[in-house]
Amino acid sequence: MDVINVDYDGMIPNNVGLNQDIRVRKALEKWHPGYLDWWQDMGPEGFQQSLVYLRTAVSVDPKGWAKFDYVRMPEYKWGILLAPQVEDRKVPFGIHRGEKAWQEVPGEHRAMLRRLIVIQGDTEPASVEQQRHLGKTAPSLYDMRNLFQVNVEEGRHLWAMVYLLQKYFGADGRDEAEALLQRRSGDPDTPRMLGAFNEKTPDWLSFFMFTTFTDRDGKMQLEALAQSGFDPLSRTCRFMLTEEAHHMFVGETGVTRIVERTCQAMRDAGIDDPYDIDTVRRLGVIDLPTVQKKANLHFSLSLDLFGSEISTNAANAFHAGVKGRFREERIKDDHQLEGGTYPVLRLVDGEIAQQDVPALSALNMRLRDDYVTDCNAVAGRWNRAIEAFNVPFQFKLPHVAFHRHIGEFAEIKADPDGNNLGDAEWQKRQGEFLPSDSDRDYIEGLMQPQYEPGQFAGWISPPKVGIDNKPGDFEYVKMA
Ligand code: BYC
């Protein structure tokens, strides 16, 4: 078996030797039609017959893993790709630290591993479902192509988790793989598992915020799972991270382009005050305070995805060697955390206070802290784009207590600075911090499609470079 180049002979491209693994191949071939039905029902609405200039993974070699070509989405080659095996890999943390990494699921950690793989798997189709209407309002063919690229790759990430379930978890795994095709984002009876994946992605600013903040949670969770002592999970997540980078690029640069367009329009019209919202909106661009509100919403929803600050689940997963920390190998400690402490923000007598708690129970908080650092760097880059236009406005990520539904701060109603407002004050003022109905209506009104090659909707700037270095007027999507 060639672990670098992908076998394209069978129905399912893979570098895991599926042709020799008849049981798993048959199970996946049986799952495939249900997946395609799901894609037709819940994948991008319209455009299924359009030719989209997509990248497909053809290798797991970091130097040249993808090829670009026109593809109809239902014919995309969703494959199963694992990063190459690291010879003699050891469990990097927890009670089993230093033992040989597991090639099979250890019986005592089976339920925990299955739960983590199912949760990870559930988010992938959920995001496709959330984004399925957006093609109809794409601000350009370039953006439409990026949306569909993200969608097909999230579909591939579902395949990646389903492979693990089918290969390593027997009948339970098969049932879970089926259930992943049954749940639906936002459905009151059969919702997706995590909160943020049941929210709407109603417009393109939301899409860019989602790919900035929620895909970045994906990055952190995948990094933590890539450390796993269960080697197939580690290898799967390592390769998924390669694709995830583009999703975050789409999000961050999407917001940058919106911000630049707004600043440019303000400059051209001689408007200095970014808070003069009505005047800015008359230019047909998205005012910066509204962009901030969307950031507040998507950042806070994404913080919930880290679970509770103090978590026995997370402690157990680390202790067992199943889920590690962000860049575990770069951390200088005993990698077992039996004695240490970690500072956690908590709600103590109604006040937000920092407390040292056992490090093992604070792992969700720690991963979230690493995430917040990463997000602050993004906000810094957006601010530099604003500074280039001398517009007096700076984005600021809200306090971690703001608008939370999970963990220490779920009970309080804090403003973006972390002041507890109480219910009545929050009801009165939430429209200052989160998109209001009129903000949403305004943005929705802007969402008119622009399908001419090289043309962009008036509220967003063109990108600096094309995908795969294509010229500005490249036809990224050929409509059917
Ligand atoms: N919503 O100890 P706790 C991505 C539940 S995104 C609903 O606080 P734990 C992507 C929890 O299940 C990354 N329920 O938390 C991005 C538990 O319930 P049970 C996806 C929640 O377990 C964009 C209870 O509360 N991957 O890839 O330490 C596009 C107490 O749990 C939530 C992963 O998340 C919530 N937000 O941590 C596409 C990695 N939070 O079981 C894709 C796998 C907690 O007691 N998952 N609960 O009934 C995990 O590592 C952990 O399960 C979590 C939660 C981080 C999610």
Side-chain angles (χ1 to χ4, degrees), residues 115-117 119-120 123-124 127 131 154 193-197 210 214-219 221-222 225 244 304-314 323 364 406:
R115 174 178 174 272
L116 292 176
I117 292 168
I119 294 178
Q120 180 63 48
T123 62
E124 315 290 0
S127 68
Q131 296 161 14
E154 299 302 3
M193 298 172 84
L194 300 179
F197 292 91
F210 184 97
T214 308
D215 280 71
R216 188 165 262 96
D217 165 59
K219 166 186 155 181
Q221 301 292 347
L222 290 173
L225 294 173
E244 204 63 46
D304 282 340
L305 296 173
F306 289 84
S308 306
E309 288 80 350
I310 315 274
S311 165
T312 316
N313 286 343
K323 183 181 173 192
N364 286 345
I406 299 278

Side-chain angles (χ1 to χ4, degrees), residues 254-270:
V255 175
T256 307
R257 289 163 51 214
I258 291 175
V259 164
E260 286 177 344
R261 181 70 199 102
T262 301
C263 292
Q264 182 70 50
M266 286 171 61
R267 179 195 274 178
D268 292 350

Side-chain angles (χ1 to χ4, degrees), residues 148-329:
F148 294 157
Q149 183 72 61
V150 169
N151 293 162
V152 291
E153 284 175 352
E154 299 302 3
R156 203 199 69 70
H157 293 178
L158 170 61
W159 272 88
M161 292 300 123
V162 164
Y163 167 72
L164 294 176
L165 290 169
Q166 302 271 21
K167 171 136 177 101
Y168 297 100
F169 293 88
D172 304 356
R174 264 198 310 284
D175 292 347
E176 294 286 13
E178 278 310 315
L180 285 166
L181 296 177
Q182 305 306 326
R183 287 186 287 272
R184 293 285 181 268
S185 173
D187 189 303
D189 301 321
T190 53
R192 292 291 173 187
M193 298 172 84
L194 300 179
F197 292 91
N198 288 304
E199 299 284 332
K200 287 198 162 58
T201 311
D203 57 68
W204 278 78
L205 178 53
S206 275
F207 170 66
F208 293 135
M209 289 296 181
F210 184 97
T211 36
T212 297
F213 291 118
T214 308
D215 280 71
R216 188 165 262 96
D217 165 59
K219 166 186 155 181
M220 302 308 292
Q221 301 292 347
L222 290 173
E223 288 271 7
L225 294 173
Q227 302 291 337
S228 184
F230 178 45
D231 206 39
L233 176 60
S234 162
R235 292 173 57 202
T236 302
C237 292
R238 270 161 47 213
F239 187 68
M240 287 162 74
L241 281 162
T242 320
E243 292 160 313
E244 204 63 46
H246 178 63
H247 306 185
M248 288 180 292
F249 162 87
V250 167
E252 179 176 338
T253 56
V255 175
T256 307
R257 289 163 51 214
I258 291 175
V259 164
E260 286 177 344
R261 181 70 199 102
T262 301
C263 292
Q264 182 70 50
M266 286 171 61
R267 179 195 274 178
D268 292 350
I271 299 167
D272 298 325
D273 180 5
Y275 296 93
D276 187 354
I277 290 171
D278 291 340
T279 312
V280 174
R281 285 187 180 180
R282 276 199 286 277
L283 305 174
V285 294
I286 307 178
D287 53 284
L288 300 179
T290 298
V291 179
Q292 172 76 60
K293 287 191 205 175
K294 282 272 192 184
N296 291 349
L297 174 64
H298 288 272
F299 176 69
S300 58
L301 288 171
S302 303
L303 290 177
D304 282 340
L305 296 173
F306 289 84
S308 306
E309 288 80 350
I310 315 274
S311 165
T312 316
N313 286 343
N316 290 341
F318 185 86
H319 182 76
V322 160
K323 183 181 173 192
R325 290 172 291 180
F326 181 56
R327 308 214 162 129
E328 186 72 44
E329 71 286 354

